[in-house]
Amino acid sequence: MTSWHISVDSSQNLNRQAHPKKPSSVSVLQLNGSKEEGQLGDGSFEFLLRKGKFMLDSIVEQPLHSLNDFFDSNKLMLLEADIFSLLKALAHSGNWERALLFFEWVVLNLKSSNVKIDNQVVELMVRILGRESQHSIASKLLNVIPLEDYSLDVRAYTTILHVYSHTGKYKRAISVFERMKETGLSPTLVTYKVMLDVYGKMGRSWDKILGLLDEMRSNGLKFDEFICSTVISACGREGLLNEAKESFAKLKSQGYVPGTVTYNAMLQVFGKARIYSEALSILKEMEDNNCPADSVTCNELVAAYVRAGFYKEGATLIETMMCKGVMPNAVTYTTMINAYGKAGKEDQALKLFDKMKESRCVPNVCAYNAVLRMLGKKSRSEDFVT
DNA sequence: CTAGGGTTAG
């Protein structure tokens, strides 16, 4: 099972010669609970399991700041351990920070003995940070892990690309994506989705986006809601109206049935460009296709109304939303408050802000900023009391 | 229960 094993010191080899039938690595925690390898008979395996559990518990008990000292003083035992299982157990018990510190410690100690970490351990660490959405930490970690030394799987690569996308390192994402393909790995639908997002956020890359879509087609991948919404929102970001319309039509002609998210992205494209006829026809298409509207749909419509100066209509829409069971959220209220503020309707804005709190919608930073900016502009900050 | 999408921001 665990074919990889890191041998670091000679004492371990002596140990192995003395007991050649023992498992070659200490299984720290038997997560799946399977009774494998028939090693339970002589009791030594159980002992090793207990030892592993003990190691896990000891790490979890350590305060974060003294963890490195703990690792150093238990160096021999830890480097002999099944690092993969120990990492997995740490992450599984909600200790991703300890997992990270352990990983970094292992990297440091193995580097000094010129031993490479196993691919699977790197993949696991990437996955742990990805799941925790620790993008900037992952990004920093990737600066010290030479990726070209490892042959990671597609999923690890995809997570890494997502990390680069999320931390704005678009150029690096593109070069890692290219290198990944050179090593013979085939990108999955999700990989392509992340890359479409990278080009979309980087901007000025519409031809690249079309290129990726062609590549996907020739690899036999089917476009889904994720792919389509990403492409349309890329258009929205740069005001590519015709491109949005064309690709939307093309995708539909290929049998793709748009969902709420893609319709929302289309609404944003036309709403932002103030082309209300098109926005309304999108809305009509949604209704015709029985595609349910959600809070984002309503927020886009509210934004479209107030951009055109239709404050009453925007406010009424919020009421309608509530009647239909779609609760307005912080985005809805912030959009309206901003609009009132710009129009010099401070009283209306403050009334709405109160209503927001009454309806138990917790104001976020954007909402407070909208109110404060408005009051600051009017030099009426004395009216603002919590 | 392996990775992934859309909305506020003067």
Side-chain angles (χ1 to χ4, degrees), chain A residues 14-290:
Chain A
L14 289 172
N15 196 26
R16 212 186 303 168
Q17 278 160 10
H19 309 280
K21 289 257 164 175
K22 276 188 184 165
S24 60
S25 64
V26 181
S27 200
V28 164
L29 190 66
Q30 215 170 5
L31 284 168
N32 48 18
S34 63
K35 308 267 185 291
E36 63 210 341
E37 297 169 323
Q39 287 288 345
L40 295 172
D42 63 355
S44 59
F45 192 64
E46 277 179 8
F47 167 72
L48 291 174
L49 276 181
R50 272 203 300 277
K51 187 176 160 191
K53 180 81 170 72
F54 172 71
M55 281 162 58
L56 175 66
D57 290 342
S58 311
I59 294 177
V60 171
E61 278 166 20
Q62 293 297 315
L64 283 176
H65 61 86
S66 60
L67 210 46
N68 265 317
D69 293 338
F70 175 81
F71 291 150
D72 284 337
S73 48
N74 294 282
K75 184 166 175 174
L76 277 182
M77 186 170 75
L78 285 171
L79 288 180
E80 270 182 42
D82 180 342
I83 292 169
F84 182 83
S85 298
L86 191 43
L87 260 188
K88 197 167 166 184
L90 280 169
H92 195 255
S93 54
N95 288 284
W96 69 266
E97 285 168 301
R98 288 180 172 77
L100 175 66
L101 286 172
F102 181 53
F103 178 83
E104 288 176 328
W105 180 84
V106 170
V107 170
L108 197 73
N109 277 274
L110 293 189
K111 198 184 269 177
S112 57
S113 6
N114 262 329
V115 182
K116 222 185 78 176
I117 329 164
D118 191 87
N119 289 324
Q120 291 180 44
V121 174
V122 179
E123 284 167 5
L124 177 60
M125 195 63 237
V126 167
R127 201 161 73 215
I128 291 169
L129 291 174
R131 283 199 118 191
E132 297 291 333
S133 301
Q134 296 295 334
H135 301 114
S136 59
I137 289 179
S139 173
K140 274 178 209 152
L141 191 65
L142 288 168
N143 285 335
V144 293
I145 305 280
L147 278 184
E148 53 279 4
D149 290 356
Y150 297 92
S151 52
L152 304 176
D153 64 7
V154 194
R155 283 166 184 161
Y157 266 114
T158 305
T159 306
I160 290 170
L161 292 174
H162 184 232
V163 163
Y164 286 145
S165 164
H166 209 271
T167 47
K169 296 176 178 172
Y170 307 130
K171 289 263 189 309
R172 194 170 314 178
I174 292 164
S175 73
V176 169
F177 180 64
E178 295 303 332
R179 203 173 60 226
M180 181 196 126
K181 286 195 285 188
E182 279 165 20
T183 65
L185 286 173
S186 321
T188 65
L189 201 63
V190 181
T191 320
Y192 278 116
K193 146 87 204 35
V194 175
M195 287 314 295
L196 287 170
D197 209 32
V198 164
Y199 281 119
K201 285 196 279 200
M202 194 170 75
R204 310 200 140 273
S205 308
W206 182 244
D207 54 329
K208 296 285 184 189
I209 289 175
L210 290 180
L212 282 183
L213 292 177
D214 279 339
E215 203 177 299
M216 292 174 68
R217 252 188 294 265
S218 60
N219 289 347
L221 292 172
K222 267 278 169 213
F223 301 126
D224 67 356
E225 182 70 359
F226 292 107
I227 298 293
C228 296
S229 63
T230 304
V231 172
I232 301 298
S233 67
C235 295
R237 235 173 253 126
E238 296 197 78
L240 304 171
L241 299 180
N242 290 328
E243 287 82 350
K245 250 196 280 192
E246 275 166 26
S247 27
F248 191 54
K250 192 170 174 186
L251 291 164
K252 283 191 289 187
S253 73
Q254 290 168 358
Y256 157 72
V257 180
T260 306
V261 179
T262 303
Y263 277 122
N264 287 345
M266 285 297 285
L267 279 177
Q268 205 247 352
V269 168
F270 295 120
K272 209 169 130 189
R274 301 175 186 236
I275 304 178
Y276 304 111
S277 53
E278 296 277 9
L280 285 177
S281 76
I282 293 292
L283 190 65
K284 183 163 186 320
E285 193 181 316
M286 275 182 93
E287 282 168 359
D288 292 347
N289 295 340
N290 285 321

